[in-house]
Amino acid sequence: MKRREGVRKLRRSGYRILQWFLTLFFLALGALAIPKMGMDGPNSAPFGLTAIFGTIFVEQRILRSRVILSPGCVRVVNAIFEYRVEPGAIKKAYVDIGGTMKIETRDGGEIFVGAYSGSLIDSFVGSAGRAAKIVRHHVAGQPVSSEFVIRRKYAISWLSEIWLVAAVACAVWTAINNS
């Protein structure tokens, strides 16, 4: 698959590593705990699987946040919402006092960037500051838009949604077993 020209994805590399580590950890935890839970009773294996798959779903949604820079759009993908902004509509990208990257639009709106939320490690490493600098460089020289729309929609992450479907299936299984 050929990468589209001019598209750049900003995401902490630690998030990617942590995402897969936690997913495998929770699956291993489930593999060890489920046989001991049994199949009968209110705290049976289907209930445990529901909790594990639900936890993986939440963890995946949070750790799959990112910023995607393309020639005509800056996309901020957070855990729940995705924002699409024209580069000319961005006034500034900065890191606030708490270490969280934010994007301010020309109309005064502010977009929280979940991929670069403040952390103790980031205060030493400075990845949020570097990402803000990359966004500023990306929008520099873009024609200023007076008429622009910030599109906000529900962020779809197919990998995360698979875990949600598994959690819902196990919850239905639990409900059927407990009725």
Side-chain angles (χ1 to χ4, degrees), residues 6 69-74 85-91 106 134-146:
L69 306 173
S70 61
C73 182
V74 174
V85 185
E86 297 171 19
I90 295 175
K91 183 176 180 181
R106 298 210 177 272
I134 291 169
V135 171
R136 285 193 301 269
H137 179 69
H138 178 74
V139 301
Q142 297 285 338
V144 175
S145 299
S146 58

Side-chain angles (χ1 to χ4, degrees), residues 39-79:
M39 295 302 282
D40 297 328
N43 294 328
S44 61
F47 180 76
L49 286 172
T50 302
I52 286 172
F53 292 153
T55 303
I56 292 173
F57 164 71
V58 171
E59 165 257 319
Q60 288 274 331
R61 292 293 274 180
I62 293 168
L63 295 177
R64 292 187 62 78
S65 57
R66 61 204 175 275
V67 178
I68 302 170
L69 306 173
S70 61
C73 182
V74 174
R75 289 176 40 204
V76 177
V77 181
N78 289 330

